[in-house]
Amino acid sequence: MKIVLIGFMGSGKTAVAKALGEILKLPVVEMDDLVYAKTQSKDMHEVFAKGGELLLRETEIAIAKEYSAADNCIISTGGGVVLNKIILDYLKQQDGKVFFLNANLQVVMDRLANDTSRPLLQDFVETKRLYYFRLPLYLEYADEVIDVWKKSIEEIADEIYEILFPDEER
Ligand code: S3P
């Protein structure tokens, strides 16, 4: 089984993937880290400096292709993977189950208020535009939608576990 987490920046994909990895004893693949490795960059600003958003998106497609055949892992994606349907097509292979971590705009804004690590985060208006542009895409590609506001990371991970294994006690 391949578990794929999608969602906007700041929705908690990385933390939930880690918690779920511990529960299920599965390795976590952090797509942003693979982007850094593949482009030999230390962070997202360096990726953008080297090749702009195009380099990020092309690298994400290459990674998704590599992981299309992967099994028994949790993939925490970058927030923009839904911009390229081909990425989700690859990740859904091998019984990939896509969970959308649905955080509302205010939650995301609060969490990202002091963030300087993400080049696409600019002002409120632009972030809001990105959020509403992508929302239907996350919903379209998700097998399951998990509302994440007012829930702890553990509660979210448990909810995913119960969807995956409805008959099993933890
Ligand atoms: C991006 C999200 C980031 C990272 C890059 C672009 C986006 O990942 O891939 O800064 O387009 O939403 P996170 O969602 O893990 O922050």
Side-chain angles (χ1 to χ4, degrees):
M1 178 198 302
K2 187 201 286 153
I3 299 164
V4 180
L5 303 185
I6 63 172
F8 202 72
M9 295 173 263
S11 59
K13 295 170 299 230
T14 299
V16 172
K18 194 163 169 273
L20 205 54
E22 279 162 19
I23 296 171
L24 297 174
K25 309 268 180 293
L26 287 180
V28 174
V29 176
E30 186 64 47
M31 275 186 78
D32 281 352
D33 289 344
L34 296 180
V35 169
Y36 304 148
K38 255 194 185 314
T39 60
Q40 299 185 348
S41 307
K42 64 178 182 316
D43 58 22
M44 204 48 82
H45 289 291
E46 194 175 338
V47 176
F48 274 61
K50 282 181 175 163
E53 187 175 355
L54 192 58
L55 176 60
L56 166 62
R57 301 306 172 206
E58 282 176 344
T59 310
E60 285 178 326
I61 292 172
I63 293 166
K65 185 173 186 183
E66 282 172 22
Y67 277 83
S68 61
D71 196 6
N72 288 325
C73 62
I74 299 167
I75 301 184
S76 172
T77 62
V81 292
V82 289
L83 297 173
N84 292 294
K85 179 176 179 289
I86 190 170
I87 294 181
L88 277 301
D89 288 345
Y90 279 135
L91 295 181
K92 282 189 178 205
Q93 287 180 10
Q94 202 71 33
D95 200 21
K97 292 261 176 305
V98 179
F99 290 84
F100 167 35
L101 303 191
N102 184 28
N104 69 30
L105 181 60
Q106 195 54 54
V107 168
V108 162
M109 286 295 189
D110 291 347
R111 286 191 192 158
L112 299 176
N114 298 314
D115 184 273
T116 54
S117 67
R118 295 167 168 100
L120 290 180
L121 271 187
Q122 294 166 22
D123 52 28
F124 174 78
V125 173
E126 175 56 14
T127 305
K128 186 177 171 187
R129 189 195 66 77
L130 265 188
Y131 181 94
Y132 283 111
F133 178 78
R134 290 176 180 181
L135 188 56
L137 299 174
Y138 295 125
L139 290 168
E140 179 180 338
Y141 296 127
D143 295 304
E144 300 285 345
V145 179
I146 312 286
D147 294 334
V148 296
W149 55 91
K150 295 194 181 151
K151 290 178 192 161
S152 68
I153 296 299
E154 287 67 32
E155 285 171 326
I156 299 163
D158 281 346
E159 198 172 321
I160 295 175
Y161 180 91
E162 277 162 30
I163 291 170
L164 290 169
F165 306 103
D167 302 326
E168 284 177 34
E169 283 281 317
R170 274 202 59 220

